[in-house]
Structure formats: structure tokens, C-alpha cells
Amino acid sequence: MGLLTILKKMREKERELRLLVLGLDNAGKTTLLKRFNGEDVTGTAPTLGFNIKTLEHRGFKLNVWDVGGQSSLRSYWRNYFESTDGLVWVVDSGDRQRLQLCAHELRGLLREERLAGATLLVFANKQDLPGALPASAIREALELDSIRSHHWCIQGCSAFTGHNLLPGIDWLLDDIASRVCPPD
Ligand code: G3D
Ligand code: MG
């Protein structure tokens, strides 16, 4: 392999990011990923294991892991932490009853050493639902303002309609890129 090829491969590798999409079951993780990928979002079945999708966006190759969020599966989340650049935490903004559980699970993740370098994007999903809590209320319930260990951002969105998905993902990529990708 010539030097130029090696350099090109190294640069390609730098543009390859690993995103981990987590949240409680039914938050809308799989729908969000499908919508972002331009797929039909009707009839999404619960994720029993994980989905991995490789997407191209803004010249980045995104390896996105969508792991099932049922309580029986949460202990397996740790198998997916390694080399994660960005953690996307998806919240069902209509699910007031499980908001404390949601906050608890997120706090646990942020203590994980192997996620220490990851940027956190919180999607306050299902904003299209009547009665959905606004992103500001989710921010408070999840005590995001107390996070000092990670760069974070919260974005209200609807995976169903696609509203506000891109601004969230773009913020995430910008933040990661400023850390891991040298300028061209
Ligand atoms: P998960 O992968 O986090 O477990 P899914 O969640 O993507 O499987 O979605 C769970 C349910 O929430 C699905 O409904 C899905 O259509 C719905 N959903 C996901 N995102 C949104 C959203 O932005 N708005 C609304 N209104 N619903 C959403 P079903 O009925 O198929 O179980
Ligand atoms: Mg799913």
C-alpha cells in the first residue's frame, strides 16, 4: 500500500464516527434512526437485540448502534460502550411516569468510564404528542445542568415527523468533530 493510500485511509477513518443510541424502551430510538435514514417509520417493532446502521452524513460515515431499552436488556448496554464518540439519549416526552427512571438510567451511563469521552445529545422526542413535556422540562427532570463530565445538548424533536432531528445531529457532529477530527 502506498503512503498516499495509507494517508487517505487514515483520513477516512477519522471521518468515521460511532454513535450509540440509548434510552428506555418505547422512547422512539428505532423510529428516529429510520426517519434519519429516510425509511418508512410506520410499524416499528420493539428492538429485541440491536440494530446497527451505517449512514453517510456531511461527509461523515456514522456507525449508529440502536440497542433495545427494555429493562431486561439494559444490562447489555455496556457491551456497546467501547469507542463511542457520541451518545444519543432518547426520551419519550409523553412518558411522565418513567421520567425519574429515565433520569436514573442516564446518570448511570454518565458514570461509565468507557463513555467518558463521548458527547451527549438528548432528544426530547415525541414533541408532536399533545401533552408532551417541553425540552425545558425534560432538561430539568434529567438534571442536565448539573452535568460537568460531558459536553451535552438537549433538542426537542419528533422522530415521527422528523422535526428537529437534523439540528440535534448536526450539533453532535460539530461537537465531536471539534474534538476528534483535525481541520482539513
Ligand atoms: P424504541 O426503539 O425506543 O423502543 P420505537 O421505540 O422506535 O420502537 O417507537 C416506539 C413507539 O413510539 C412506536 O409506536 C413509534 O411509532 C412511536 N414513536 C416514536 N417516535 C415518535 C414520535 O416522535 N412521535 C410519536 N407520536 N410517536 C413516536 P407503536 O405504536 O408502533 O408502538
Ligand atoms: Mg427499538
Side-chain angles (χ1 to χ4, degrees), residues 20-23 25 29-30 45-52 65-70 72-74 76-77 79-80:
L20 182 59
V21 182
L22 294 176
D25 50 296
K29 302 177 291 295
T30 306
T47 310
L48 298 176
F50 65 88
N51 295 312
I52 174 164
W65 293 74
D66 159 26
V67 185
Q70 294 92 324
S72 56
L73 296 177
R74 282 176 220 150
Y76 295 101
W77 282 355
N79 297 333
Y80 301 88

Side-chain angles (χ1 to χ4, degrees), residues 3-182:
L3 184 59
L4 274 180
T5 318
I6 293 172
L7 286 174
K8 188 163 173 276
K9 283 214 175 307
M10 279 170 69
R11 182 146 296 265
E12 277 168 8
K13 197 77 197 152
E14 281 161 5
R15 307 284 293 180
E16 191 171 332
L17 302 179
R18 181 177 158 113
L19 305 183
L20 182 59
V21 182
L22 294 176
L24 302 184
D25 50 296
N26 207 49
K29 302 177 291 295
T30 306
T31 306
L32 194 144
L33 212 56
K34 282 183 162 182
R35 167 62 68 186
F36 188 66
N37 202 27
E39 294 171 38
D40 181 13
V41 295
T42 50
T44 302
T47 310
L48 298 176
F50 65 88
N51 295 312
I52 174 164
K53 277 199 201 303
T54 301
L55 315 173
E56 296 278 339
H57 183 59
R58 285 176 35 194
F60 290 100
K61 183 176 171 194
L62 307 177
N63 296 315
V64 189
W65 293 74
D66 159 26
V67 185
Q70 294 92 324
S71 53
S72 56
L73 296 177
R74 282 176 220 150
S75 59
Y76 295 101
W77 282 355
R78 67 173 72 98
N79 297 333
Y80 301 88
F81 292 164
E82 212 65 49
S83 310
T84 294
D85 298 300
L87 173 64
V88 181
W89 182 253
V90 185
V91 182
D92 177 346
S93 307
D95 187 359
R96 292 160 192 256
Q97 271 159 11
R98 291 200 301 169
L99 210 49
Q100 279 318 310
L101 176 63
C102 176
H104 171 77
E105 294 286 355
L106 176 61
R107 270 196 296 276
L109 282 178
L110 296 180
R111 281 195 296 268
E112 291 285 345
E113 208 171 299
R114 280 174 299 155
L115 289 176
T119 299
L120 170 68
L121 168 65
V122 178
F123 269 131
N125 190 33
K126 306 199 186 183
Q127 288 297 315
D128 60 291
L129 282 182
L133 288 167
S136 55
I138 303 287
R139 173 180 180 154
E140 209 167 298
L142 268 47
E143 298 177 351
L144 298 182
D145 290 285
S146 68
I147 297 175
R148 300 282 175 268
S149 50
H150 296 69
H151 291 185
W152 63 270
C153 172
I154 183 164
Q155 176 75 64
C157 75
S158 166
F160 214 66
T161 66
H163 184 64
N164 270 347
L165 293 189
L166 270 182
I169 296 290
D170 282 339
W171 174 84
L172 182 65
L173 296 185
D174 286 342
D175 188 79
I176 297 170
S178 66
R179 288 191 288 110
V180 304
C181 299

